[in-house]
Amino acid sequence: MNYEFTIIAPIYNEEENLERLEQQLSTYLEIAVKPTCILLVNDGSSDNSLSMIEKICARNEAFYFISFEKNCGLSAAIKAGFDYADTPLIGYIDSDLQTDPEDFNLLMQDIAEYDLVTGWRADRKDSFVKKMSSLIANGIRKSFTHDGMNDTGCPLKIIKADYAKRIPMFKGLHRFLPAMIMLQNGSVKQVPVRHYPRIAGKAKFHLWNRLLGPLVDCFAYLWMKKKYINYNIAKKG
């Protein structure tokens, strides 16, 4: 099948969520506005996730997977998804399903005019501490990048593959996807999407790495912005 859209789902020790993930993504495939496939990226899980992923992909034609030798982190899983996807559009969703796959259709309404469309958890269903730490982290990031985004941590995005595949790799990448598209002179838009409480599994980020990590990564971004190479081809022969 000629797929046009790949949804990347990074997975690290999410065995309690994988049956729901399969069900909800399968349901989305029935209503997707473009022919869609699912790329599950196992980030070196130490639980039963890989075995479950293999079974999910064996029984679903539109599902396939890659698996790391060891845990490399969320940014590495997203970047690997960008590298291995072979469709003109690439999406991203967290396997904890705190966002709804059906909302990809909301983002898809704007992707023709923009190079990245990201969700915005305007009515976020998280604890007070998690919401406040993310608010502070987003404020720090915006002051460095001037990307205008309220919620770059929202795990629901669509990116044109030409832009996604040119993003350089570094830890903390997932917080800077809109800024990295803007470095390429691309255009970005945020759209409010639904958000739900986590009902299974454990969160992989905590107060410390929500605050200190983004601050350190901002300095890495400023260095990259200064050194970034951008070019456009005027003629071929």
Side-chain angles (χ1 to χ4, degrees):
M1 186 172 180
N2 294 321
Y3 297 113
E4 298 178 25
F5 179 40
T6 300
I7 297 175
I8 301 165
I11 295 165
Y12 177 59
N13 292 347
E14 291 285 1
E15 61 180 1
E16 296 175 16
N17 282 311
L18 288 181
E19 289 186 2
R20 283 197 314 127
L21 182 69
E22 177 188 11
Q23 181 181 22
Q24 291 199 25
L25 287 175
S26 296
T27 299
Y28 173 72
L29 294 180
E30 298 174 0
I31 63 169
V33 297
K34 292 183 179 293
T36 301
C37 61
I38 311 298
L39 172 55
L40 306 178
V41 182
N42 178 45
D43 182 20
S45 297
S46 58
D47 63 358
N48 197 40
S49 291
L50 178 56
S51 175
M52 296 180 68
I53 289 168
E54 291 174 336
K55 292 175 183 177
I56 288 171
C57 293
R59 60 178 174 252
N60 292 281
E61 182 179 1
F63 285 66
Y64 66 112
F65 76 94
I66 56 177
S67 183
F68 290 170
E69 289 182 346
K70 61 180 181 180
N71 177 243
C72 297
L74 177 58
S75 294
I78 294 172
K79 183 61 167 61
F82 290 167
D83 292 342
Y84 279 85
D86 59 0
T87 54
L89 295 174
I90 302 174
Y92 156 54
I93 189 170
D94 273 355
S95 54
D96 61 14
L97 292 172
Q98 288 192 254
T99 50
D100 195 322
E102 291 186 10
D103 284 346
F104 276 121
N105 284 352
L106 292 177
L107 308 188
M108 200 66 76
Q109 294 174 11
D110 294 300
I111 196 60
E113 298 179 26
Y114 294 89
D115 302 305
L116 176 147
V117 182
T118 181
W120 169 23
R121 298 166 293 185
D123 184 20
R124 190 168 174 178
K125 306 299 184 182
D126 278 326
S127 68
F128 175 79
V129 171
K130 185 179 289 188
K131 287 190 288 188
M132 287 305 299
S133 60
S134 292
L135 181 65
I136 295 170
N138 275 303
I140 294 171
R141 189 210 69 258
K142 286 171 68 175
S143 68
F144 278 79
T145 65
H146 305 289
D147 59 12
M149 299 289 104
N150 295 318
D151 183 19
T152 60
C154 178
L156 200 73
K157 293 176 172 64
I158 299 178
I159 311 175
K160 289 178 179 173
D162 288 347
Y163 286 82
K165 291 180 182 294
R166 291 199 298 263
I167 296 175
M169 177 64 188
F170 68 96
K171 291 184 178 180
L173 166 79
H174 59 281
R175 303 183 183 101
F176 292 85
L177 292 178
M180 298 307 298
I181 299 302
M182 294 171 70
L183 273 186
Q184 301 177 50
N185 298 320
S187 55
V188 301
K189 181 177 182 178
Q190 58 184 356
V191 175
V193 296
R194 291 170 288 182
H195 190 248
Y196 306 98
R198 175 186 270 271
I199 64 173
K202 295 181 180 180
K204 308 305 185 293
F205 293 93
H206 48 75
L207 178 62
W208 188 246
N209 59 23
R210 280 195 184 93
L211 294 178
L212 181 59
L215 178 60
V216 173
D217 293 339
C218 281
F219 290 100
Y221 168 79
L222 290 180
W223 178 89
M224 187 174 301
K225 182 178 180 180
K226 183 178 180 180
K227 302 291 185 178
Y228 192 78
I229 296 174
N230 226 341
Y231 64 88
N232 294 302
I233 302 298
K235 185 182 291 187
K236 295 181 180 180

